[in-house]
Amino acid sequence: MPDEIARLSEALARDPAGMGWVPLADALRRARRLPAAERTALRGLERHPYHADGHDILARIAADGGDAGRARDEWEMALRLDPRHVGARLGLGWLALRIGDRDAALRWWRGAHDIAPTDPRVMAAGRQLHGAAAGATAPGRPAPPNAPAQGGATPSGAVDPAPDVRAALAPLAAAHTHATARRCCLPRTRREPPLTIAPPSER
């Protein structure tokens, strides 16, 4: 993991305007370096505020840090930018399952399944939902959205919107990212209880 982070950091330093911040933020998240992961994602979103994968990464960082409300905001933003974003659908389904709303979780999963039925993340979440229906106790977290592929590359779950759509969405996404950055720096008076997170080695 340190070698992967070093390699991705060097790649981003060579092309700071590129999209290397996405896999780097996710690698930092999986290494449990959540503050560094959050900073990396927020800096990237300042340059690319309409990038759905970036909001998906920030949602998973928030979820790993125990902030379910912020995770929901970011996954919903990812879906506004790309309604076919599988990772965001699975993430929102996981949030529903976390509070015991299996019907909502199933609806989110069905939407993801309609888009990508053979995606390993979708298949794993389906097995989990069927396990919950069969009476399994304390169902775990659905397979993490956009899990790194072999070699450390992060597959993109987002389709870049057409230019006219980007123009319409960019101000909204920029305002959302600015508000997120401000919120992450303000003291919280109330926190969500910690989530049950699988160790990074299991992701």
Side-chain angles (χ1 to χ4, degrees):
M1 182 66 70
D3 291 342
E4 179 188 8
I5 291 173
R7 176 177 57 79
L8 293 171
S9 297
E10 291 171 2
L12 182 59
R14 288 193 299 270
D15 183 16
M19 303 306 300
W21 57 275
V22 177
L24 176 58
D26 195 45
L28 290 165
R29 177 191 69 86
R30 288 182 284 112
R32 309 301 299 162
R33 294 171 57 180
L34 298 184
E38 180 182 62
R39 288 194 299 272
T40 301
L42 287 172
R43 282 197 297 266
L45 284 169
E46 287 176 0
R47 288 179 176 268
H48 307 278
Y50 49 81
H51 190 65
D53 279 356
H55 290 281
D56 174 47
I57 291 288
L58 195 55
R60 287 186 285 131
I61 293 167
D64 282 5
D67 193 339
R70 185 178 178 194
R72 180 183 302 279
D73 288 347
E74 296 299 333
W75 273 319
E76 288 178 349
M77 175 56 70
L79 278 182
R80 288 187 185 183
L81 295 166
D82 176 17
R84 294 177 60 83
H85 199 285
V86 171
R89 289 179 177 275
L90 292 178
L92 288 166
W94 170 71
L95 288 177
L97 193 61
R98 176 180 177 268
I99 62 173
D101 190 347
R102 185 179 176 278
D103 289 342
L106 189 58
R107 287 194 298 271
W108 284 116
W109 176 79
R110 284 174 176 161
H113 185 269
D114 288 345
I115 295 166
T118 61
D119 188 312
R121 301 166 298 167
V122 176
M123 296 169 70
R127 288 192 297 269
Q128 189 172 60
L129 282 168
H130 284 98
T137 58
R141 179 179 181 168
N146 295 335
Q150 186 176 4
T154 302
S156 174
V159 177
D160 193 27
D164 57 335
V165 177
R166 287 205 308 267
L169 288 175
L172 172 65
H176 174 83
T177 301
H178 178 69
T180 297
R182 289 185 66 247
R183 180 169 54 183
C184 82
C185 301
L186 295 174
R188 295 191 180 102
T189 58
R190 179 180 179 273
R191 289 187 60 87
E192 291 281 339
L195 305 182
T196 301
I197 302 297
S201 61
E202 297 180 11
R203 297 182 179 198

